[in-house]
């Protein structure tokens, strides 16, 4: 049996600000993970990745990050993505500060 | 200290002008990221986890007060009001925006600073003993030769596309405070029959494959040093493994070919290129040396110092831990700890930077140093001024008296900032420092170097920590391996792994266990951790760490 596909989001860093962004279903970049499009189909995810990677004047380092679906949108499965959507743990900077 | 001449100023200005245009072309879409990345790296600009990061070179760790103030200004104007001093004696800004970088670089140039060759496969910022020109045990100031190497290596046409990065460190003292044996080239100033020369080590490095540098030449004379170093880099430039990033550093080249074969090749190459060095470099060196002439030291009574030392226990504790012997009578080298318990190792706020700059200007012959241990040094202060200096430091959270103690931890940025990291380092350092401060046994423990890296690349020097901690990703969970017995001094040794790693919740108790095992095993309070470890070996520590765990498990069962 083929391994089940882990859902993903397309993520990158914004070219000008350098901060973490996620691709939404309507092809915009959002700073908030819960607004990201959760990709549950592998082939579709690859297409979204290729399209997003072509947007070189908006973002840098596009990749697919593993997520799990929850009631409040995609949630990271790995601590690295958790830090990326939050900010550093030693200072209240980055996304956690923007939310507050 | 060295001041830019017209050539230096024009060169940096031209490079900044070029990079400003490159940034514009990246933003307007003329350059792709693939094209832009090597250009930004040449100028010290990284893209990290949450933002860009600009790494600014502090050559051989030396700053004057105007430079430190400008670093504070940059932190406030374009970043989040602080900077992070690193194990490479540099400063990193964690939050700059791409559009602002050209302005930041221009602001740096105003005070004769830059971010050139702080990244990429080039010869990086040359580091040196942070007590250079001040230490009592010094044979000669290592900074003139470090500056000569900086000028030689900057934009060196043969060495802009090396197999990998290349790091050179220089010590002028037999007590090696520059970790020279862990660098691609380590240079140690030595004296032979009254002549000053250089012992040259090659092939040291930490990272994935840690190696201790090997002596390639016991004595290279002053006039032969530059051609000799050029011959080493030139030989490696051809031999280095460009096919495999992980085998490209010179430590692997030396390991694969053997030091004798490398030495023979370097000698041959040296023979070819020696005649190209006609003595211009020596004229330059002479001028550089003059720029590093020691300041005019004052002669003042020491009564104020002695009185404060005798009557103020807080000052006394600080003086005992943070001062070092100075070459001039009545003077001391004062270390300013950037390791307040619970704070991020190496971080300084803009306000703190200004305070340190003011102290350097008022009391310290306008000199500051960045140590690879992520502290700031006032290299030339008269002891009579120390009570006033200490009082000011205290008001700004800079008077922690813990230099060389368990809370004076080197920690890389780790996964809180770094895109390469596999785990966090900073919170572990914060927790260890906080815990041992609570226990109030820091002074009882004495000298103990804890060094933490958040990945195998070892920016936190964990291999040479008395206690080294390496953060890894074990199946999606942060996991920390402990090594014991590393040594960063002239007796360089690599730590040995204790065994399986510990989770983020377990690592601080594990360090406590290691320290308790040391306290239980030491012969007396005078026996430092590293000496106890060398005497008793790994066994008692292992037993304390894992024996206990096993018995816990069996109790639970």
């Amino acid at each position: 049996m083929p391994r089940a596909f882990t859902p993903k989001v397309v993520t990158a860093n914004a070219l000008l600000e350098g901060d973490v962004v996620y691709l939404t279903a309507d092809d915009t970049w959002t700073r908030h993970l819960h607004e990201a499009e959760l990709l549950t189909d592998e082939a579709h995810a690859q297409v979204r990745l290729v399209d997003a990677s072509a947007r070189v004047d908006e973002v840098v380092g596009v990749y697919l990050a593993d997520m799990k679906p929850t009631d409040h949108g995609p949630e990271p499965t790995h601590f690295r993505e958790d830090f990326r959507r939050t900010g550093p743990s030693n200072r209240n900077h980055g996304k956690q500060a923007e939310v507050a | 200290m060295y001041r830019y001449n017209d050539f230096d100023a024009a060169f940096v200005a031209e490079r900044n002008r070029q990079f400003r245009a490159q940034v514009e072309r990246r933003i307007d879409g003329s350059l792709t990221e693939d094209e832009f990345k090597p250009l930004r790296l040449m100028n010290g600009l990284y893209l990290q986890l949450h933002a860009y990061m600009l790494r600014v070179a502090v050559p051989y760790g030396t700053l004057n007060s105007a430079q430190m103030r400008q670093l504070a200004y940059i932190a406030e104007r374009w970043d989040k009001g602080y900077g992070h001093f690193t194990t490479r004696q540099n400063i990193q800004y964690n939050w700059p925006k791409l559009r602002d970088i050209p302005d930041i670089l221009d602001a740096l140039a105003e005070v004769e600073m830059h971010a050139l060759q702080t990244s990429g496969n080039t010869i990086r910022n040359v580091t040196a003993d942070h007590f250079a020109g001040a230490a009592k045990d010094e044979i000669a100031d290592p900074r003139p030769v470090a500056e000569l190497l900086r000028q030689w290596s900057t934009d060196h046409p043969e060495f802009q596309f090396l197999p990998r990065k290349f790091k050179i460190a220089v010590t002028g003292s037999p007590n090696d405070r520059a970790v020279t044996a862990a660098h691609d080239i380590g240079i140690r100033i030595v004296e032979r029959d009254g002549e000053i020369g250089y012992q040259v080590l090659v092939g040291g490095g930490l990272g994935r494959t840690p190696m201790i540098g090997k002596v390639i030449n016991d004595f290279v004379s002053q006039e032969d040093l530059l051609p000799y170093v050029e011959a080493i880099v030139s030989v490696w430039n051809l031999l280095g493994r460009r096919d495999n990033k992980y085998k490209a550093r010179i430590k692997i080249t030396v390991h694969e070919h053997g030091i004798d074969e490398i030495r023979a090749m370097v000698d041959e190459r040296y023979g070819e290129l020696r005649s190209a060095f006609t003595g211009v470099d020596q004229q330059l060196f002479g001028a550089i040396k003059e720029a590093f002439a020691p300041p005019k030291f004052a002669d003042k009574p020491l009564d104020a110092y002695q009185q404060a030392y005798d009557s103020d226990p807080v000052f006394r504790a600080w003086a005992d831990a943070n001062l070092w012997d100075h070459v001039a009578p009545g003077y001391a080298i004062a270390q300013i700890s950037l390791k307040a318990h619970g704070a991020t190792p190496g971080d300084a706020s803009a306000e703190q930077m200004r305070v340190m700059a003011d102290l350097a200007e008022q009391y310290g012959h306008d000199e500051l140093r960045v140590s690879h241990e992520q502290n700031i040094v006032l290299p030339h202060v008269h002891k009579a001024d120390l009570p006033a200096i200490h009082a000011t430091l205290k008001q700004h959270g800079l008077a922690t008296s813990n230099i060389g103690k368990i809370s004076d931890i080197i920690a890389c940025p780790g996964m809180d900032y770094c895109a390469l990291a596999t785990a966090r380092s900073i919170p572990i350092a914060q927790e260890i420092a906080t815990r041992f401060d609570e226990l109030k046994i820091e002074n009882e423990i004495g000298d103990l170097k804890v060094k933490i890296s958040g990945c195998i690349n070892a920016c936190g020097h964990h291999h040479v920590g008395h206690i080294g901690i390496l953060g890894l990703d074990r199946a999606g969970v942060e996991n920390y391996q402990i090594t014991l017995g590393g040594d960063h001094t002239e007796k360089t040794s690599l730590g040995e792994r204790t065994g399986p790693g510990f989770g983020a919740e377990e690592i601080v108790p594990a360090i406590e266990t290691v320290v308790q095992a040391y306290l239980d095993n030491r012969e007396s309070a005078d026996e430092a951790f590293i000496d106890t470890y060398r005497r008793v070996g790994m066994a008692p520590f292992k037993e304390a760490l894992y024996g206990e765990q096993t018995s816990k498990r069996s109790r639970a069962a």
Side-chain angles (χ1 to χ4, degrees):
Chain A
M1 215 176 86
R3 252 178 53 193
F5 177 70
T6 307
K8 309 221 185 307
V9 299
V10 174
T11 183
N13 288 74
L15 171 66
L16 294 179
E17 294 82 9
D19 60 339
V20 175
V21 293
Y22 306 96
L23 190 65
T24 65
D26 58 4
D27 277 336
T28 58
W29 295 105
T30 176
R31 260 74 187 173
H32 308 291
L33 178 57
H34 66 267
E35 294 171 359
E37 178 189 16
L38 188 70
L39 306 162
T40 52
D41 176 79
E42 187 166 8
H44 181 57
Q46 286 302 326
V47 171
R48 296 294 283 159
L49 174 67
V50 169
D51 289 347
S53 301
R55 296 165 70 168
V56 293
D57 52 351
E58 297 169 11
V59 291
V60 181
V62 185
Y63 67 95
L64 292 169
D66 286 354
M67 294 288 153
K68 58 185 180 230
T70 73
D71 294 342
H72 37 275
E75 283 284 312
T77 62
H78 190 276
F79 60 91
R80 188 177 194 272
E81 289 304 326
D82 202 16
F83 293 136
R84 283 183 83 240
R85 64 103 174 244
T86 310
S89 51
N90 65 324
R91 285 176 183 271
N92 185 30
H93 289 156
K95 298 213 177 305
Q96 58 200 345
E98 286 148 26
V99 171
Chain B
M1 63 190 267
Y2 181 77
R3 302 303 308 259
Y4 276 13
N5 58 26
D6 292 348
F7 174 85
D8 295 315
F11 173 76
V12 172
E14 173 58 15
R15 279 291 296 263
N16 286 353
R17 191 195 62 74
Q18 289 171 2
F19 190 57
R20 182 177 289 278
Q22 289 157 359
V23 169
E24 278 165 18
R25 280 183 281 147
R26 176 68 185 100
I27 291 172
D28 75 17
S30 318
L31 289 174
T32 66
E33 186 61 21
D34 284 349
E35 289 163 334
F36 180 65
K37 190 176 175 185
L39 301 172
R40 69 167 158 81
L41 290 179
M42 272 180 214
N43 291 281
L45 183 63
Y46 286 73
L47 184 54
Q48 294 285 43
L49 221 48
H50 312 292
Y52 286 98
M53 179 274 279
L54 184 68
R55 181 181 292 156
V56 176
V58 181
Y60 32 87
T62 294
L63 289 167
N64 61 31
S65 63
Q67 291 172 325
M68 186 63 112
R69 279 191 200 103
Q70 191 78 334
L71 295 178
Y73 170 73
I74 290 169
E76 271 175 353
R77 168 89 196 268
W78 290 292
D79 207 272
K80 292 190 188 294
Y82 75 101
H84 178 73
F85 291 98
T86 77
T87 54
R88 298 270 313 135
Q89 298 182 308
N90 293 319
I91 181 169
Q92 294 182 174
Y93 293 105
N94 286 323
W95 304 94
K97 306 273 195 285
L98 180 59
R99 269 191 210 285
D100 295 331
I101 301 297
D103 290 340
I104 299 176
L105 294 178
D106 284 348
L108 288 169
E110 285 173 18
V111 291
E112 304 182 355
M113 294 184 77
H114 61 72
L116 300 173
Q117 292 185 200
T118 57
S119 176
N121 294 335
T122 55
I123 298 174
R124 301 287 188 88
N125 184 36
V126 178
T127 53
D129 182 356
H130 41 272
F131 296 165
K136 200 173 184 176
D137 56 11
E138 185 173 271
I139 297 166
D141 189 340
R143 290 173 302 160
V145 76
E147 173 61 24
L148 184 70
L149 288 162
R150 185 189 73 81
Q151 297 194 13
W152 159 82
S153 63
T154 301
D155 227 22
H156 191 303
E158 192 180 328
F159 302 144
Q160 291 305 298
F161 296 93
L162 292 169
R164 197 79 175 80
K165 59 187 165 185
F166 200 87
K167 299 175 184 173
I168 303 175
V170 194
T171 174
S173 160
N175 296 307
D176 186 354
R177 288 174 288 262
V179 210
T180 57
H183 285 75
D184 296 284
I185 289 179
I187 297 175
R188 293 171 171 176
I189 297 180
V190 289
E191 195 171 356
R192 200 171 70 180
D193 306 327
E195 187 193 349
I196 299 279
Y198 304 95
Q199 183 189 56
V200 180
L201 284 78
V202 70
L206 302 174
R208 179 177 300 262
T209 321
M211 302 256 187
I212 295 170
K214 298 172 182 68
V215 175
I216 186 167
N217 198 321
D218 247 329
F219 191 89
V220 178
S221 67
Q222 174 56 53
E223 60 274 16
D224 292 338
L225 182 71
L226 219 46
Y228 192 78
V229 169
E230 180 153 315
I232 294 173
V233 185
S234 183
V235 163
W236 169 66
N237 198 15
L238 287 179
L239 277 185
R241 293 278 300 273
R242 283 182 162 82
D243 63 311
N244 184 339
K245 186 180 167 180
Y246 303 119
K247 295 186 174 175
R249 294 289 289 270
I250 197 171
K251 61 190 172 185
I252 306 292
T253 316
V254 171
H255 182 72
E256 286 182 348
H257 292 261
I259 186 70
D260 294 329
E261 191 184 327
I262 296 292
R263 186 182 293 117
M265 294 173 84
V266 167
D267 286 344
E268 196 188 333
R269 180 70 186 136
Y270 172 79
E272 287 167 2
L273 58 78
R274 179 64 184 86
S275 61
F277 288 77
T278 55
V280 178
D281 60 312
Q282 288 314 291
Q283 287 168 21
L284 262 176
F285 182 68
I288 293 168
K289 232 169 124 174
E290 276 173 33
F292 285 104
K296 287 202 175 20
F297 294 118
D299 190 12
K300 292 195 268 191
L302 290 172
D303 306 349
Y305 170 76
Q306 202 53 52
Q307 201 197 339
Y309 190 87
D310 292 341
S311 63
D312 178 356
V314 178
F315 176 75
R316 185 162 62 241
W318 180 78
D320 286 345
N322 293 36
L323 299 184
W324 202 266
D325 291 342
H326 196 284
V327 66
Y331 272 74
I333 301 170
Q335 297 208 60
I336 302 172
S337 170
L338 297 184
K339 316 284 178 67
H341 299 103
T344 303
D347 275 12
S349 69
E351 180 214 334
Q352 289 177 323
M353 288 186 222
R354 288 198 184 98
V355 167
M356 294 188 285
D358 291 347
L359 289 174
E361 190 175 27
Q362 193 178 349
Y363 301 110
H365 297 275
D366 208 32
E367 270 204 51
L368 296 141
R369 305 286 169 73
V370 182
S371 79
H372 80 269
E373 289 169 331
Q374 301 180 281
N375 294 310
I376 300 296
V377 181
L378 294 169
H380 311 294
V381 284
H382 197 281
K383 285 185 180 172
D385 297 322
L386 284 169
I389 291 172
H390 180 252
T392 304
L393 291 173
K394 239 174 20 183
Q395 289 166 14
H396 299 277
L398 290 168
T400 312
S401 45
N402 62 346
I403 297 294
K405 304 288 198 300
I406 191 168
S407 61
D408 182 12
I409 299 170
I410 289 184
C412 73
M415 201 181 271
D416 287 306
Y417 298 91
C418 177
L420 299 174
T422 44
R424 289 173 297 171
S425 320
I426 291 169
I428 305 302
Q430 292 174 306
E431 284 167 33
I432 291 172
T434 304
R435 178 64 185 145
F436 282 92
D437 191 38
E438 285 164 4
L439 291 172
K440 299 286 171 222
I441 57 170
E442 185 159 34
N443 288 322
E444 192 191 333
I445 297 164
D447 287 349
L448 176 49
K449 304 277 188 185
V450 178
K451 302 179 196 266
I452 310 176
S453 305
C455 83
I456 203 165
N457 294 309
C459 294
H461 294 191
H462 64 276
H463 297 294
V464 292
H466 298 156
I467 298 177
I469 301 173
L470 166 62
L472 296 167
D473 173 353
R474 281 275 172 269
V477 180
E478 287 169 297
N479 189 273
Y480 296 88
Q481 286 180 355
I482 299 175
T483 50
L484 300 178
D487 185 345
H488 66 295
T489 69
E490 64 284 355
K491 294 174 279 190
T492 315
S493 60
L494 302 171
E496 192 189 338
R497 250 181 73 186
T498 55
F502 298 86
E505 305 296 315
E506 303 164 333
I507 183 64
V508 179
I511 297 304
E512 221 177 301
T513 302
V514 168
V515 170
Q516 193 54 53
Y518 153 65
L519 293 173
D520 293 345
N521 278 280
R522 71 181 179 184
E523 278 184 329
S524 73
D526 294 334
E527 191 180 54
F529 178 91
I530 184 68
D531 298 322
T532 301
Y533 177 81
R534 284 183 176 144
R535 184 173 53 78
V536 303
M538 179 64 93
F541 295 97
K542 236 179 166 145
E543 197 185 310
L545 278 173
Y546 303 104
E548 197 182 66
Q549 221 174 43
T550 317
S551 56
K552 261 186 202 162
R553 268 197 209 116
S554 49
R555 272 204 304 274

